[in-house]
Amino acid sequence: MNRSIWTGLNGVVGNQTYLDVLSDNVANLDTPGFRRSSPKFDALLSQTIQSGTGGQGNVGGTNPVQIGLGSYVNAIDAIHTQGPLEATERPGDLAISGNGFFPLSLDGEQVYSRAGRFVPDAEGHFVLSGTGAMLQGIPQNGNGQGNLEPIRLPIATEEGQTAAGNTMDPSATTSVLFSCNLSRSMNPEESHSTTIDIYDAAGDPHTLQVTWSKALDEDGQWRENRWQWTAELAEDPGGTVGEGEIAFYGEESDAGTPGAVVDDASATPAIDIAFPGSEGASTVTLDFTGGGDDLEGLTQYDSPSTTRAVSQNGYPEGEYHTFSFDTAGHLNAHYTNGQSVALYRVPLALFRNPTGLDKQSDTLFMESLNSGDVRTTFSEEGGAGLINPQALEQSNVTLSESFSNVIVAQRSYQANARVLTTSDAFLDESIRMKG
């Protein structure tokens, strides 16, 4: 009789544990990056009343007589299925689609998490909100093959103190890319100009103006498919800093795209510019080829002339302004001069057995003996998932499934409790038999 009491008690205790696990899952329904847990029940050892026997002569064998002693919870596994993603529009939020964990450092310990709500602290470190755990990345200066270290934004931490990378030095213009049409039907006496701001070594802006007109021969006749150009600075009208001729392929050309500039040395001339107030001269390459695309550079068609210089590679001094992440995991710093620099790259940590990780508070995990060694890789590389900026992965708890399991746990608990009360009634009746 006592045996049935302890069997029922084991069932009550096991289902109470089941309910504890389910209640934790439901409580973390809105916890970003939370991984639900699932208990595993197993049978306790059985008491052998009579061992089995083998057959002998005319007597057959018998099976063992055993009575089970109930069940118990022998494992509680974390379920690492994908949780739904939610767009947040917060620049520090990151979510993983697929495998992997964010590597974090907390008080000198290496920890990992799927929760991706990262915010900068007063020192510029990215921390998992509410925990102080610092997001780690690989510095991208040089070859980008350094060691993991806490990510830090280039912000000034004290008045009068400038953090490394807080300012960006100016860079002189060395190349200007042009993309515009020179009307084939333009009058030879006319000209066409386009302007663009370029920068000297000190970061000061200057306006470069390039003017095209049809090339004429010695008799003043238009040389078919050839143009001459001159370059000058707007602050020094008439002071030519460069000149030359370019040629276009004719309408029936077999050598290149009709109407496109002939891609030879004359289409990428280098000019030396002595900027006012600067020492020495700067060499600037004028690229009329559109970077090698026939129809993206200078063209000669009958349509009206267009005025457009696409880009140049110089910029003034800039200060750190804001940051962003991309899908490759790069942390990009944006400066007031319009330039961006990749400071770090966030890797993803992979484990052979993520279910073996030790669960910590604050949706953190730690490596264990059964998780396997950590392996780091990058977004969409080596089996890792994709990093999604400005998004959060939500809990992978499904409310309908959880409540269904709550009903199962409740009914099982009730059934085992009824075994206890029934066993108690049997004992009570046995005691009454004496009187």
mmCIF file of all heavy atoms in Angstrom, residues 147-165:
data_model
loop_
_atom_site.group_PDB
_atom_site.id
_atom_site.type_symbol
_atom_site.label_atom_id
_atom_site.label_comp_id
_atom_site.label_asym_id
_atom_site.label_seq_id
_atom_site.Cartn_x
_atom_site.Cartn_y
_atom_site.Cartn_z
ATOM 1 N N ASN A 147 41.482 39.914 -32.595
ATOM 2 C CA ASN A 147 40.792 39.125 -31.585
ATOM 3 C C ASN A 147 39.518 39.826 -31.142
ATOM 4 O O ASN A 147 39.363 41.038 -31.301
ATOM 5 C CB ASN A 147 41.712 38.894 -30.380
ATOM 6 C CG ASN A 147 42.935 38.074 -30.740
ATOM 7 O OD1 ASN A 147 42.855 37.130 -31.521
ATOM 8 N ND2 ASN A 147 44.081 38.437 -30.174
ATOM 9 N N LEU A 148 38.626 39.044 -30.543
ATOM 10 C CA LEU A 148 37.397 39.612 -30.004
ATOM 11 C C LEU A 148 37.710 40.607 -28.893
ATOM 12 O O LEU A 148 38.589 40.351 -28.050
ATOM 13 C CB LEU A 148 36.509 38.511 -29.445
ATOM 14 C CG LEU A 148 35.579 37.770 -30.408
ATOM 15 C CD1 LEU A 148 34.868 36.653 -29.656
ATOM 16 C CD2 LEU A 148 34.579 38.708 -31.035
ATOM 17 N N GLU A 149 36.996 41.715 -28.894
ATOM 18 C CA GLU A 149 37.117 42.692 -27.824
ATOM 19 C C GLU A 149 35.788 43.441 -27.705
ATOM 20 O O GLU A 149 34.998 43.462 -28.649
ATOM 21 C CB GLU A 149 38.257 43.674 -28.086
ATOM 22 C CG GLU A 149 38.053 44.555 -29.303
ATOM 23 C CD GLU A 149 39.211 45.514 -29.515
ATOM 24 O OE1 GLU A 149 40.370 45.057 -29.520
ATOM 25 O OE2 GLU A 149 38.950 46.725 -29.673
ATOM 26 N N PRO A 150 35.510 44.029 -26.539
ATOM 27 C CA PRO A 150 34.266 44.783 -26.401
ATOM 28 C C PRO A 150 34.198 45.932 -27.410
ATOM 29 O O PRO A 150 35.160 46.678 -27.589
ATOM 30 C CB PRO A 150 34.324 45.310 -24.968
ATOM 31 C CG PRO A 150 35.205 44.337 -24.250
ATOM 32 C CD PRO A 150 36.239 43.922 -25.264
ATOM 33 N N ILE A 151 33.066 46.033 -28.075
ATOM 34 C CA ILE A 151 32.865 47.096 -29.062
ATOM 35 C C ILE A 151 32.750 48.436 -28.351
ATOM 36 O O ILE A 151 32.096 48.551 -27.306
ATOM 37 C CB ILE A 151 31.598 46.815 -29.891
ATOM 38 C CG1 ILE A 151 31.860 45.655 -30.856
ATOM 39 C CG2 ILE A 151 31.136 48.034 -30.655
ATOM 40 C CD1 ILE A 151 30.647 45.243 -31.650
ATOM 41 N N ARG A 152 33.368 49.451 -28.947
ATOM 42 C CA ARG A 152 33.294 50.791 -28.356
ATOM 43 C C ARG A 152 33.159 51.830 -29.455
ATOM 44 O O ARG A 152 33.925 51.833 -30.419
ATOM 45 C CB ARG A 152 34.537 51.083 -27.519
ATOM 46 C CG ARG A 152 34.432 52.393 -26.742
ATOM 47 C CD ARG A 152 35.631 52.593 -25.836
ATOM 48 N NE ARG A 152 35.489 53.794 -25.041
ATOM 49 C CZ ARG A 152 36.405 54.234 -24.174
ATOM 50 N NH1 ARG A 152 37.524 53.552 -24.018
ATOM 51 N NH2 ARG A 152 36.201 55.344 -23.487
ATOM 52 N N LEU A 153 32.181 52.694 -29.304
ATOM 53 C CA LEU A 153 31.977 53.775 -30.267
ATOM 54 C C LEU A 153 33.013 54.871 -30.039
ATOM 55 O O LEU A 153 33.476 55.079 -28.909
ATOM 56 C CB LEU A 153 30.572 54.355 -30.120
ATOM 57 C CG LEU A 153 29.416 53.445 -30.535
ATOM 58 C CD1 LEU A 153 28.088 54.068 -30.147
ATOM 59 C CD2 LEU A 153 29.453 53.170 -32.025
ATOM 60 N N PRO A 154 33.370 55.616 -31.096
ATOM 61 C CA PRO A 154 34.395 56.675 -30.961
ATOM 62 C C PRO A 154 33.810 57.972 -30.408
ATOM 63 O O PRO A 154 33.754 59.000 -31.078
ATOM 64 C CB PRO A 154 34.887 56.848 -32.402
ATOM 65 C CG PRO A 154 33.700 56.528 -33.241
ATOM 66 C CD PRO A 154 32.963 55.433 -32.512
ATOM 67 N N ILE A 155 33.347 57.924 -29.157
ATOM 68 C CA ILE A 155 32.789 59.127 -28.543
ATOM 69 C C ILE A 155 33.746 59.641 -27.481
ATOM 70 O O ILE A 155 34.508 58.879 -26.875
ATOM 71 C CB ILE A 155 31.408 58.859 -27.916
ATOM 72 C CG1 ILE A 155 31.511 57.812 -26.805
ATOM 73 C CG2 ILE A 155 30.414 58.406 -28.980
ATOM 74 C CD1 ILE A 155 30.218 57.585 -26.062
ATOM 75 N N ALA A 156 33.707 60.963 -27.237
ATOM 76 C CA ALA A 156 34.526 61.564 -26.188
ATOM 77 C C ALA A 156 33.898 61.234 -24.841
ATOM 78 O O ALA A 156 32.708 61.465 -24.620
ATOM 79 C CB ALA A 156 34.625 63.067 -26.390
ATOM 80 N N THR A 157 34.701 60.678 -23.931
ATOM 81 C CA THR A 157 34.156 60.239 -22.646
ATOM 82 C C THR A 157 34.251 61.309 -21.572
ATOM 83 O O THR A 157 33.541 61.246 -20.582
ATOM 84 C CB THR A 157 34.898 58.991 -22.164
ATOM 85 O OG1 THR A 157 36.312 59.280 -22.082
ATOM 86 C CG2 THR A 157 34.691 57.843 -23.141
ATOM 87 N N GLU A 158 35.134 62.272 -21.738
ATOM 88 C CA GLU A 158 35.269 63.353 -20.775
ATOM 89 C C GLU A 158 35.434 64.668 -21.523
ATOM 90 O O GLU A 158 35.870 64.698 -22.668
ATOM 91 C CB GLU A 158 36.488 63.130 -19.870
ATOM 92 C CG GLU A 158 36.405 61.876 -19.006
ATOM 93 C CD GLU A 158 37.652 61.696 -18.169
ATOM 94 O OE1 GLU A 158 38.517 62.601 -18.215
ATOM 95 O OE2 GLU A 158 37.768 60.673 -17.483
ATOM 96 N N GLU A 159 35.079 65.742 -20.857
ATOM 97 C CA GLU A 159 35.189 67.061 -21.488
ATOM 98 C C GLU A 159 36.647 67.344 -21.835
ATOM 99 O O GLU A 159 37.540 67.203 -21.008
ATOM 100 C CB GLU A 159 34.664 68.130 -20.533
ATOM 101 C CG GLU A 159 34.614 69.512 -21.160
ATOM 102 C CD GLU A 159 34.007 70.543 -20.231
ATOM 103 O OE1 GLU A 159 33.530 70.142 -19.138
ATOM 104 O OE2 GLU A 159 34.016 71.716 -20.586
ATOM 105 N N GLY A 160 36.865 67.720 -23.076
ATOM 106 C CA GLY A 160 38.210 68.029 -23.528
ATOM 107 C C GLY A 160 39.008 66.822 -23.964
ATOM 108 O O GLY A 160 40.115 66.958 -24.472
ATOM 109 N N GLN A 161 38.484 65.626 -23.781
ATOM 110 C CA GLN A 161 39.193 64.402 -24.178
ATOM 111 C C GLN A 161 38.566 63.850 -25.452
ATOM 112 O O GLN A 161 37.357 63.686 -25.555
ATOM 113 C CB GLN A 161 39.113 63.353 -23.076
ATOM 114 C CG GLN A 161 39.801 62.040 -23.440
ATOM 115 C CD GLN A 161 39.684 61.010 -22.333
ATOM 116 O OE1 GLN A 161 39.211 61.333 -21.259
ATOM 117 N NE2 GLN A 161 40.117 59.800 -22.600
ATOM 118 N N THR A 162 39.380 63.567 -26.450
ATOM 119 C CA THR A 162 38.900 63.059 -27.730
ATOM 120 C C THR A 162 39.203 61.575 -27.850
ATOM 121 O O THR A 162 40.347 61.156 -27.700
ATOM 122 C CB THR A 162 39.552 63.816 -28.903
ATOM 123 O OG1 THR A 162 39.264 65.204 -28.778
ATOM 124 C CG2 THR A 162 39.014 63.314 -30.230
ATOM 125 N N ALA A 163 38.194 60.792 -28.081
ATOM 126 C CA ALA A 163 38.380 59.351 -28.247
ATOM 127 C C ALA A 163 38.968 59.063 -29.617
ATOM 128 O O ALA A 163 38.772 59.820 -30.575
ATOM 129 C CB ALA A 163 37.049 58.627 -28.075
ATOM 130 N N ALA A 164 39.694 57.936 -29.714
ATOM 131 C CA ALA A 164 40.260 57.531 -30.999
ATOM 132 C C ALA A 164 39.146 57.325 -32.009
ATOM 133 O O ALA A 164 38.161 56.653 -31.732
ATOM 134 C CB ALA A 164 41.066 56.251 -30.832
ATOM 135 N N GLY A 165 39.299 57.921 -33.191
ATOM 136 C CA GLY A 165 38.295 57.784 -34.232
ATOM 137 C C GLY A 165 37.162 58.779 -34.129
ATOM 138 O O GLY A 165 36.239 58.745 -34.941
#
